[in-house]
Amino acid sequence: RNEQTWPPPFDPNFNPIPRAMKQRMDAGQEVSNLMQGFCFYGPPESAIAAGRLALEKHETSRYNQDAGTPELRAALNEFMRREHGIEGYDVQVTAGCNQAFANVVAAVMDEGSEAVIFSPVYFNHVMALQLGGAKIVTVPCGPDLTPDPATVPFTDKTRMVVVITPCNPTGAVVSGETLKALAEACRARNVWLVIDYTYLFFTYDGVVQDVVSGDNVILLFSFSKAFGMPGFRVGWIGYPAARKELALALGKVQDCVVISASIMSQNVALGALQAGAPWVKERLKDLEANREAVWAAISSAPRVSAKRTAGAFYFFVKLPEGAAGDVEVAEWLVKEHGVAVVAGTVFGCPGHLRVCYGNLPPDRMRAAAARLGQALLAVST
């Protein structure tokens, strides 16, 4: 059992990388952002058209149902049924997947109750749990960077186990077998399994992400990454419809915090669903090229190590023994090589760097990867 907290990653006194980026850009020098997790492309035309049409409707400026517009909720239920065979679930639409997770924390956690998360952690999950007064128990992932169900330290205070797959920050894909084992272990102890599927569409090398459901399984999804629309802030919670106590709690949280996700944004999301998975898969061709360029840069440095994971759009790089600290290296990368990455410390893993290959088009990513490769080679010597 390992109970930890981390300084807020947006504190400029803790995280000097954004400050170094600003200084370099103010001096007229380029900075390639391999730091923030988003895709370089924008929404599908069907989403933009739906947004334009919504602007002309009076209802767009009015309140709607807290849990989401009936049209979008019906479409999301159909998506879960058609694409993943999920039946018997209901939906709450949220202002992004981070709000979805925060809603779940507020709905199911009590002061001092325990949440199990796997390291490397996602810092927004950590902060949401801290805000909810939860006791955070971190468990290291196995050598393949995925959770081992046998290592979960259940107690009578455990209320939820949280998994992100494909994983931020490692890109690891958790198998359906592992997810089912976690769900069964949680069910036997009346514990919620919360699975964050923000990166559901992003898999490579023939790998497919399994989606697991059950009467104790809460699913979180996002439009931000796959459909190129993070600024519209739309995510959703899929939860067992029979769990009326959960629906009531989620509804209370939603009404107190945001009432509903933006009606305008929900219309854009509905338009994005019309484009659907085929549109996203077409975009993955460019991300695959980015992935190859960044992997070539990482693998060219002899003393730097990383696993070639098959999901999301991240590689989690381990710095060599004897190198400077990860925050120091990340700052140096910006100042000397014009490449911004995230220090592993904010994920609870000092000595690592998270490199994102989603947020630049292929030509710019190739140039950034070349500079990254030169920098990692220097770190290795």
Side-chain angles (χ1 to χ4, degrees):
R1 297 172 62 81
N2 186 11
E3 296 160 15
Q4 299 183 21
T5 58
W6 292 272
F10 46 78
D11 180 350
N13 295 317
F14 169 71
N15 189 351
I17 291 88
R19 184 172 62 242
M21 293 172 68
K22 184 177 185 304
Q23 290 170 348
R24 185 176 173 95
M25 289 187 290
D26 287 348
Q29 296 176 292
E30 182 182 2
V31 178
S32 295
N33 183 355
L34 309 188
M35 184 177 187
Q36 196 168 10
F38 63 92
C39 289
F40 68 89
Y41 55 80
E45 182 55 41
S46 57
I48 296 170
R52 290 196 188 103
L53 185 62
L55 279 174
E56 300 174 358
K57 295 182 178 180
H58 179 63
E59 309 90 82
T60 304
S61 63
R62 313 299 292 174
Y63 288 121
N64 206 301
Q65 296 180 17
D66 285 17
T69 65
E71 297 82 2
L72 181 56
R73 291 171 64 205
L76 291 172
N77 270 311
E78 171 58 19
F79 167 82
M80 291 193 295
R81 185 200 64 77
R82 183 185 67 250
E83 299 289 335
H84 303 291
I86 298 173
E87 304 275 6
Y89 265 53
D90 207 344
V91 166
Q92 182 185 75
V93 181
T94 56
C97 196
N98 278 328
Q99 195 220 332
F101 183 75
N103 278 14
V104 170
V105 170
V108 309
M109 299 298 287
D110 296 317
E111 184 82 24
S113 56
E114 295 182 355
V116 177
I117 61 177
F118 295 94
S119 177
V121 303
Y122 174 45
F123 48 76
N124 280 86
H125 283 180
V126 171
M127 291 188 289
L129 289 164
Q130 289 171 336
L131 286 170
K135 181 179 287 187
I136 303 169
V137 180
T138 60
V139 178
C141 284
D144 63 350
L145 301 179
T146 67
D148 178 354
T151 65
V152 178
F154 291 103
T155 74
D156 58 1
K157 292 184 179 180
T158 307
R159 294 297 300 276
M160 69 162 64
V161 175
V162 183
V163 177
I164 307 172
T165 184
C167 179
N168 177 10
T170 67
V173 177
V174 183
S175 70
E177 181 182 2
T178 295
L179 293 172
K180 289 174 184 176
L182 284 167
E184 185 55 40
C186 289
R187 182 182 296 108
R189 298 164 175 85
N190 196 28
V191 170
W192 290 105
L193 175 63
V194 180
I195 309 176
D196 186 335
Y197 281 117
T198 291
Y199 300 90
L200 173 65
F201 288 96
F202 298 95
T203 57
Y204 315 93
D205 300 335
V207 174
V208 176
Q209 175 65 71
D210 289 327
V211 176
V212 170
S213 59
D215 61 6
N216 67 316
V217 180
I218 300 173
L219 309 176
L220 310 180
F221 301 93
S222 174
F223 281 88
S224 297
K225 316 296 185 183
F227 292 102
M229 45 184 284
F232 285 97
R233 308 308 308 136
V234 187
W236 84 92
I237 305 168
Y239 62 91
R243 300 298 294 266
K244 301 301 183 184
E245 79 288 1
L246 177 62
L248 179 62
L250 288 172
K252 287 180 179 179
V253 176
Q254 181 89 331
D255 196 63
C256 289
V257 172
V258 72
I259 298 181
S260 73
S262 159
I263 306 306
M264 175 69 182
S265 294
Q266 291 189 61
N267 277 275
V268 173
L270 188 59
L273 281 179
Q274 293 173 14
W279 184 89
V280 180
K281 290 177 181 177
E282 187 65 26
R283 312 273 94 61
L284 288 186
K285 294 176 182 178
D286 284 337
L287 291 193
E288 287 171 349
N290 286 0
R291 181 171 177 257
E292 292 303 324
V294 171
W295 180 253
I298 293 169
S299 57
S300 69
R303 295 180 58 231
V304 167
S305 60
K307 288 195 176 296
R308 186 182 163 93
T309 48
F313 34 69
Y314 306 114
F315 289 125
F316 204 53
V317 178
K318 188 177 189 306
L319 295 171
E321 294 293 331
D326 55 294
V327 176
E328 185 179 347
V329 170
E331 184 178 13
W332 171 79
L333 277 170
V334 173
K335 290 181 175 180
E336 300 299 326
H337 295 271
V339 176
V341 299
V342 184
T345 293
V346 300
F347 303 105
C349 286
H352 292 75
L353 302 173
R354 189 194 75 176
V355 182
C356 175
Y357 54 84
N359 47 18
L360 294 177
D363 55 339
R364 293 176 60 195
M365 185 61 73
R366 283 193 298 272
R371 296 200 304 279
L372 175 67
Q374 293 170 359
L376 294 179
L377 203 56
V379 171
S380 296
T381 57

